[in-house]
Amino acid sequence: MASDKTTAPEAVVVRFAGDSGDGMQLTGGQFTLSTALAGNDLATFPDFPAEIRAPQGTLFGVSAFQINFGSTAIETAGDAPDVLVAMNPAALKVNLAALKPGGLIIADTGEFTKRNLDKAKYDANPLEGDGLAKWDVLAFDISELTLEAVKPFGLGKKEALRCKNMWTLGLALWMFDRPREPIHDWLKQKFAKAPELADANIAALDAGHAYGETAEISGPLKQVHVDPVASEPGLYRTITGAESISLGLVAGAQLAELPMFFGGYPITPASAILHHLARLKEFDVQTFQAEDEIAAICSAIGASYAGQLGVTSSSGPGIALKGEAMGLAIMTELPLVIVNSQRGGPSTGLPTKTEQSDLYQAIYGRNGDAPMPVIAARSPADAFECAIEACRIAVEYMTPVMLLTDGYIANAAEPWKVPNPADYRPFPAKFLTEKNAKNAEGEDELLPFARDEKGARPWIKPGTPGLMHRIGGIEKAQGTGHIDYSPDNHQAMTDARKSKVDGVANSIPDQDVCLGNESGKLVLVGWGSTYGPIHQAVRRARKRGLDVSHVHVRNVWPLPKNLGDLLKGFDKVLVPEMNAGQFKTVLRDQYLVDAQPLTKTSGQPFAIAEIEDAICDALGEPRPSQIGGEVDVNETQLPSPEAANP
Amino acid sequence: MNDMTPVQTTLKDWETDQEVRWCPGCGDYAILKAVQRTLPQLNADPAKTVFVSGIGCSSRFPYYVESYGFHTIHGRAPAFVTGIKLANPELDVWMVTGDGDGMSIGGNHTMHILRRNIDVQILLFNNEIYGLTKGQYSPTSRQGTKSPSAPGGSIDRPAQPCAFALGSGARFVARGFDVSKNLPDVLKAAHAHRGAAFVEIFQNCIVYNKDVFNDFAAPKGAEDQQLWLEDGQPMLFAKGTKGLARDVENMTLKVVDVVDGDWEGAGVMVHDVKNRTLAHMLVELPFGPFPMALGVIYDDPRPAYDAVVAEEMSKARTAKAGNLGALLSKGQTWTVDGTAQDPI
Ligand SMILES: Cc1ncc(C[n+]2csc(CCOP(=O)(O)OP(=O)(O)O)c2C)c(N)n1
Ligand code: SF4
Ligand SMILES: [Mg+2]
């Protein structure tokens, strides 16, 4: 967004970066809300350090929040920011490389002190030389201006400086022509117990806004108006993946007509789900903070056994601990939903960064032949639907189901058209209340492991008169469920468990092509949170006339029945994923297709351009950068998927 | 335990058609019989009774009791019990575990079920050995226990289950042994206690750790080494000829002789199941110089976690039934009509 731009851009990317103590996530969150209220589509990417209170001013203590918003469909947080707000030297240093050439830097000179420059390992003040010539720079003393603005409220200096983020937010609100009232309201609510803090923050916000107005006369600061997006009529709100999964689980339990039991143990980034659900007792949601992840899943299985919908949630290391218990749920054929908010691994890995590297673990990561359905959410909004689907499969098939999401989806926010619960098909759980068979003598008999047409066994709540029986992890005889180690029986039970889970494919829709043709030269097959960048990259490539399609798989296990045939209609299959090539291997194994990997494990989501380059390489076409440089910002976001299908 | 409509049953009603697969002579048989004998006396309802176990010889127990049963995974039974009780506090749950299951791999869960005080009877069969895996030493094996994994004798110092339980915050701690005629009374007391009731049952593994408890649990001749505790009764043993008295100087207990039944004169203490300090002393008494403290050592109930949660849940539900539509549209929303936006 250079100063000479006069036309309204269709999309803008802004990154707020500062010290982890500067409140950048809060600033970003409120800016997101105002953007949503202004009717723009948007996607966000909060990127924060693993340390709770990283030492001030350091490079590793930088916290950033990026938002991409526009008047067209937005599906990624954007490759390169147009505007970078840098609250200190470290924030500038860490984020500068990402900034688009010609982009705008807004910097707080008050923080560019010798001490902070040293901490950021700058020899000289970057704001002073010509090192930033590629960009527009707007550097002024935000700290001082904030102190000035909040002076009447008599705060200490430290407290007063805490209002800096609101000052900056005020400026950003002015820049993008946003109303301040919703933020005023929010501040009043947030500081209801300390009205002087509310007033100070409001004053800072207003001062930032006023600064924009008065500084407009000259310099690089221009007010920009981004038109609202044309979206389906309805009621909207913003939602993060963690919220959406929580709400989807609540909806799923209601559709199953079951109380929900959620067993969890804190871990980033999965904890947010526990926190959301802990407040929903009136929805018959019981949360239990267990002593570890093993107890969390075991308690959830116990609750399922007793007739509730057991749910557990964790991230990679915790999911690893749950493995043995998942096997028990598979063996005893009890419903259970396991949510894995994936993060960078192995081991502790990158707790606050995103990755999709737990796919093998989800599909294969248990001892024995232990098949389990796996679903992957593609976006925060999609996670709602996926959570309901996970509940449905668990209850209808009497099986544990894993729902995969990741750190990116969990934290990112997007506008969400609030669904109407009445639009979903209920799948009420049925409990056996009477013996379900006759023995040779014609007497009533209980067969806890009899199977229905889907291969599911009956769900029998302890407490039901006359249906006492025993279950466990030891191999059980078909029908009766008595301990049975005999060779034929184990063969038959292994087959039964497999065919039941395979049969889930009969209850899911055929795989669609979400963009492009049903056959052709190249298909990009994605799963999970890579949806946004793949989709945008395929759009751009198709716009330039390339023959490429996008297939995005939700049911990663079992796979949709038509997927193999669909993929065989393409000359080439490219699988972008944030791991070392796991889904690629699954596809090769299942369909003997020559799926090629496009991998990324930097803890950052794919940039659209990275995928676009890979498309060009796969098709033997020159990359965009080789034939005339950057794609114009307005080209990065195209209208609806349907309209973009050439 | 729970308030249940009394149901008339006999020992036979609690037997399953499954073949019992413990080694002939194993102490587990006696415990099974004691439990099956006790359940009718409790008027327990098989349909509302659940036996939950981990893994081990002892954990096969649920297969042999005609009630609901869940044979889970090694060490994790407490977590399953917790989920079951939170989902349905009406169920009467018994948990069966071993010294390996409950004190080794599942030690963490044992601690937390006791600390949380879930309403359950926990029976820890202590045979001081890993039976099912063929005789390795366990966390309760005495130092020097020879086993395939410690041919020269174990070096580790053993853990004391009852001391562990008290340390974890247990509000009921009792001890018994497999062939003891008093075992049903101990089980009844555990069942009467609301909250987690921890019962350590010494059990003879006749194959891998034969007769290690004979000093106090031999079928004949070891009675003098048993101190059967009873609330409000003097702590006497050896046919009333000995008792436990305060050793004030050392802030502990001592054995005193009781002449002509004058236990008061000898300074013998009266057992008080609500005296936590006393309980700590009793579970730590070194066997040999002291008798084995058996029966109900400690019983001082506190509200059970599952009961408190159930109350909270029902309060939340009656206060306001959740409206999903309202929940989904919570927070700041905006309406789009036609193509233009309509910010609030
Ligand atoms: C995760 C796991 N690790 C190890 C085992 C093997 N294992 C089965 S039972 C057992 C020990 C049982 O000892 P204890 O709890 O004392 O029961 P006992 O057989 O003596 O009654 C072990 C180590 C297992 N089943 N699962
Ligand atoms: S190995 Fe020991 S504990 Fe196991 S059944 Fe045999 S005697 Fe009993
Ligand atoms: Mg043992």
Side-chain angles (χ1 to χ4, degrees):
Chain A
M1 194 195 45
S3 53
D4 57 355
K5 229 181 205 130
T6 47
T7 54
E10 282 185 354
V12 176
V13 180
V14 180
R15 186 182 293 188
F16 298 94
D19 200 67
S20 33
D22 283 342
M24 291 295 100
Q25 302 303 326
L26 215 63
T27 310
Q30 289 307 305
F31 188 74
T32 302
L33 187 67
S34 79
T35 302
L37 293 176
N40 295 136
D41 197 10
L42 64 91
T44 69
F45 180 46
D47 190 13
F48 40 82
E51 292 72 20
I52 303 295
R53 293 260 187 304
Q56 231 188 340
T58 55
L59 293 168
F60 63 89
V62 173
S63 171
F65 185 99
Q66 182 163 317
I67 172 166
N68 183 6
F69 57 97
S71 54
T72 58
I74 302 286
E75 269 142 359
T76 80
D79 285 7
D82 300 288
V83 179
L84 169 65
V85 178
M87 300 302 285
N88 69 4
L92 180 67
K93 188 157 203 180
V94 171
N95 292 286
L96 192 59
L99 189 61
K100 186 171 288 177
L104 172 65
I105 298 167
I106 298 176
D108 176 10
T109 54
E111 288 290 327
F112 280 65
T113 57
K114 169 91 178 64
R115 206 173 121 83
N116 281 346
L117 289 166
D118 286 349
K119 281 197 210 160
K121 309 213 162 48
Y122 272 123
D123 296 332
N125 189 342
L127 301 175
E128 282 161 8
D130 52 6
L132 303 179
K134 269 206 280 178
W135 300 282
D136 284 332
V137 180
L138 189 67
F140 51 99
D141 198 338
I142 297 179
S143 302
E144 188 52 43
L145 288 163
T146 304
L147 290 177
E148 195 67 30
V150 305
K151 207 185 236 159
F153 305 98
L155 306 181
K157 187 168 177 196
K158 215 168 146 193
E159 285 222 296
L161 279 175
R162 284 237 181 88
C163 301
K164 261 191 322 191
N165 62 337
M166 285 302 121
W167 194 99
T168 317
L169 180 60
L171 181 65
L173 293 179
W174 173 81
M175 276 179 78
F176 298 102
D177 195 13
R178 300 286 160 69
R180 278 164 289 161
E181 289 69 33
I183 318 287
H184 285 174
D185 292 346
W186 170 76
L187 284 167
K188 280 180 199 150
Q189 205 191 334
K190 181 172 162 71
F191 294 113
K193 293 214 180 87
E196 70 285 0
L197 286 183
D199 292 345
N201 276 287
I202 288 171
L205 185 88
D206 290 348
H209 194 269
Y211 184 88
E213 257 164 350
T214 46
E216 196 191 2
I217 312 116
S218 65
L221 198 59
K222 290 271 180 295
Q223 201 172 26
V224 175
H225 183 83
V226 179
D227 287 331
V229 67
S231 25
E232 243 181 274
L235 184 70
Y236 283 77
R237 60 174 282 190
T238 59
I239 195 156
T240 65
E243 285 170 327
S244 155
I245 286 182
S246 310
L247 295 176
L249 290 169
V250 175
Q254 292 208 346
L255 292 166
E257 295 173 10
L258 292 172
M260 189 208 303
F261 177 94
F262 181 94
Y265 183 78
I267 185 169
T268 303
S271 301
I273 299 175
L274 170 63
H275 303 167
H276 285 301
L277 291 174
R279 279 181 243 134
L280 300 179
K281 282 198 185 72
E282 68 269 26
F283 289 89
D284 241 337
V285 174
Q286 192 174 158
T287 53
F288 171 61
Q289 182 180 313
E291 57 270 28
D292 61 21
E293 283 88 350
I294 300 173
I297 186 172
C298 293
S299 62
I301 296 172
S304 282
Y305 169 67
Q308 299 201 343
L309 180 59
V311 180
T312 188
S313 147
S314 191
S315 297
I319 297 291
L321 288 175
K322 294 178 195 290
E324 186 193 8
M326 285 181 217
L328 181 71
I330 290 168
M331 196 68 164
T332 51
E333 304 190 40
L334 286 168
L336 178 73
V337 175
I338 305 143
V339 183
N340 180 359
S341 301
Q342 300 168 93
R343 62 189 217 182
S347 186
T348 308
L350 286 73
T352 59
K353 308 289 176 195
T354 194
E355 212 164 88
Q356 298 179 296
S357 44
D358 299 346
L359 184 69
Y360 286 162
Q361 185 193 37
I363 301 178
Y364 307 121
R366 291 164 294 279
N367 61 304
D369 280 307
M372 189 168 84
V374 182
I375 302 177
R378 63 163 68 156
S379 69
D382 184 51
F384 179 79
E385 313 293 327
C386 290
I388 292 177
E389 180 67 351
C391 297
R392 178 191 70 82
I393 296 174
V395 169
E396 288 187 346
Y397 288 83
M398 293 293 284
T399 177
V401 177
M402 188 176 287
L403 170 54
L404 290 176
T405 158
D406 60 37
Y408 176 70
I409 294 179
N411 294 320
E414 67 179 10
W416 183 50
K417 183 163 178 272
V418 177
N420 179 357
D423 293 343
Y424 293 82
R425 179 180 73 80
F427 39 88
K430 290 182 216 66
F431 294 98
L432 197 69
T433 52
E434 280 168 10
K435 291 185 175 161
N436 55 348
K438 296 250 186 249
N439 67 11
E441 283 78 52
E443 296 158 344
D444 289 340
E445 187 188 16
L446 173 65
L447 294 181
F449 284 81
R451 295 183 187 280
D452 67 10
E453 66 290 348
K454 294 189 300 300
R457 79 175 189 93
W459 195 353
I460 312 167
K461 270 195 262 196
T464 313
L467 300 190
M468 288 81 72
H469 67 287
R470 276 62 56 192
I471 61 169
I474 298 184
E475 186 59 284
K476 289 165 300 294
Q478 304 166 70
T480 64
H482 295 322
I483 293 180
D484 189 341
Y485 300 110
S486 70
D488 290 349
N489 181 67
H490 181 52
Q491 180 74 54
M493 286 299 266
T494 305
D495 295 347
R497 287 185 287 266
K498 177 175 188 309
S499 82
K500 177 177 85 168
V501 169
D502 287 348
V504 170
N506 296 323
S507 75
I508 61 174
D510 268 354
Q511 181 62 49
D512 63 345
V513 177
C514 59
L515 183 57
N517 303 323
E518 302 271 321
S519 61
K521 285 194 182 143
L522 174 65
V523 62
L524 266 62
V525 186
W527 65 279
S529 75
T530 49
Y531 174 79
I534 297 177
H535 211 67
Q536 295 294 352
V538 170
R539 275 184 193 179
R540 285 193 204 174
R542 291 184 65 79
K543 197 142 190 262
R544 294 196 290 113
L546 303 186
D547 179 5
V548 53
S549 299
H550 178 198
V551 162
H552 214 76
V553 181
R554 171 188 280 179
N555 292 87
V556 293
W557 199 267
L559 292 160
K561 288 196 289 189
N562 66 326
L563 182 62
D565 288 339
L566 184 62
L567 298 188
K568 283 173 187 149
F570 292 90
D571 301 342
K572 288 189 171 179
V573 178
L574 183 64
V575 186
E577 50 188 334
M578 296 185 288
N579 60 45
Q582 300 186 8
F583 195 47
K584 171 266 307 169
T585 308
V586 173
L587 294 176
R588 286 185 187 185
D589 166 60
Q590 292 296 303
Y591 305 122
L592 285 176
V593 289
D594 183 19
Q596 290 297 318
L598 173 62
T599 67
K600 179 168 185 177
T601 55
S602 63
Q604 300 292 322
F606 274 107
I608 302 166
E610 289 170 318
I611 298 180
E612 206 187 354
D613 285 350
I615 293 173
C616 296
D617 296 352
L619 292 172
E621 298 283 341
R623 291 179 170 196
S625 56
Q626 295 163 328
I627 52 163
E630 285 285 311
V631 179
D632 179 48
V633 63
N634 288 345
E635 291 296 302
T636 62
Q637 316 292 341
L638 296 174
S640 71
E642 298 70 36
N645 266 359
Chain B
M1 67 141 274
N2 281 285
D3 296 316
M4 299 204 299
T5 359
V7 173
Q8 301 301 322
T9 56
T10 63
L11 187 153
K12 277 261 166 280
D13 293 321
W14 296 93
E15 289 176 350
T16 62
D17 57 0
Q18 297 299 293
E19 187 192 337
V20 183
R21 300 201 196 186
W22 290 308
C23 308
C26 171
D28 289 347
Y29 285 95
I31 304 174
L32 177 62
K33 274 281 172 286
V35 169
Q36 288 169 331
R37 196 172 299 132
T38 307
L39 288 165
Q41 297 176 31
L42 298 170
N43 292 322
D45 178 353
K48 291 195 174 151
T49 304
V50 187
F51 277 81
V52 182
S53 65
I55 297 289
C57 294
S58 35
S59 288
R60 290 294 181 96
F61 202 91
Y63 290 111
Y64 310 133
V65 184
E66 186 56 45
S67 67
Y68 283 90
F70 200 171
H71 181 216
T72 69
I73 47 178
H74 200 19
R76 319 298 174 193
F80 290 92
V81 168
T82 302
I84 291 168
K85 282 297 287 189
L86 289 176
N88 185 358
E90 300 296 306
L91 296 171
D92 189 12
V93 182
W94 298 77
M95 188 188 115
V96 178
T97 182
D99 44 313
D101 194 65
M103 294 292 295
S104 192
I105 189 165
N108 188 33
H109 309 301
T110 304
M111 166 166 117
H112 291 283
I113 195 170
L114 293 170
R115 161 182 86 74
R116 287 195 188 99
N117 198 25
I118 304 287
D119 187 17
V120 56
Q121 296 74 248
I122 300 171
L123 313 184
L124 186 140
F125 295 12
N126 185 4
N127 55 12
E128 296 187 359
I129 210 79
Y130 286 176
L132 192 66
T133 46
K134 301 196 189 303
Q136 299 83 355
Y137 68 100
S138 89
T140 56
S141 298
R142 290 165 219 180
Q143 272 180 313
T145 298
K146 285 204 164 64
S147 82
S149 58
S154 62
I155 297 163
D156 337 8
R157 291 155 48 75
Q160 298 241 36
C162 287
F164 177 87
L166 273 177
S168 303
R171 309 298 310 184
F172 180 101
V173 174
R175 266 194 198 136
F177 60 93
D178 45 14
V179 295
S180 161
K181 64 173 184 358
N182 294 340
L183 187 56
D185 288 337
V186 174
L187 297 174
K188 272 183 244 168
H191 191 259
H193 175 92
R194 297 189 172 219
F198 182 85
V199 185
E200 178 185 20
I201 304 174
F202 299 107
Q203 172 245 325
N204 195 0
C205 170
I206 57 123
V207 176
Y208 298 112
N209 215 16
K210 193 171 183 323
D211 297 343
V212 283
F213 305 115
N214 263 8
D215 287 345
F216 62 87
K220 270 200 185 76
E223 293 83 0
D224 285 0
Q225 296 306 317
Q226 301 167 8
L227 168 69
W228 283 99
L229 297 159
E230 235 178 292
D231 192 30
Q233 297 298 318
M235 301 197 287
L236 293 169
F237 64 105
K239 297 172 202 79
T241 60
K242 289 176 190 218
L244 292 190
R246 288 182 190 84
D247 176 352
V248 177
E249 204 160 302
N250 296 305
M251 298 238 307
T252 181
L253 299 170
K254 60 184 177 193
V255 174
V256 291
D257 290 321
V258 177
V259 186
D260 296 336
D262 182 14
W263 57 269
E264 276 174 306
V268 171
M269 267 184 92
V270 169
H271 184 46
D272 174 5
V273 288
K274 292 196 184 336
N275 185 337
R276 197 166 176 85
T277 311
L278 176 63
H280 275 287
M281 289 186 199
L282 288 169
V283 298
E284 293 275 6
L285 293 179
F287 182 73
F290 287 90
M292 182 57 72
L294 297 161
V296 180
I297 296 167
Y298 180 66
D299 181 1
D300 188 13
R302 289 288 180 277
Y305 178 87
D306 42 302
V308 177
V309 171
E311 201 172 307
E312 268 190 20
M313 289 295 296
S314 94
K315 255 194 234 148
R317 271 190 303 253
T318 41
K320 55 166 181 182
N323 176 330
L324 184 59
L327 176 68
L328 298 183
S329 48
K330 222 170 144 184
Q332 269 172 302
T333 55
W334 66 98
T335 316
V336 175
D337 51 20
T339 50
Q341 104 289 10
D342 178 18
I344 36 171

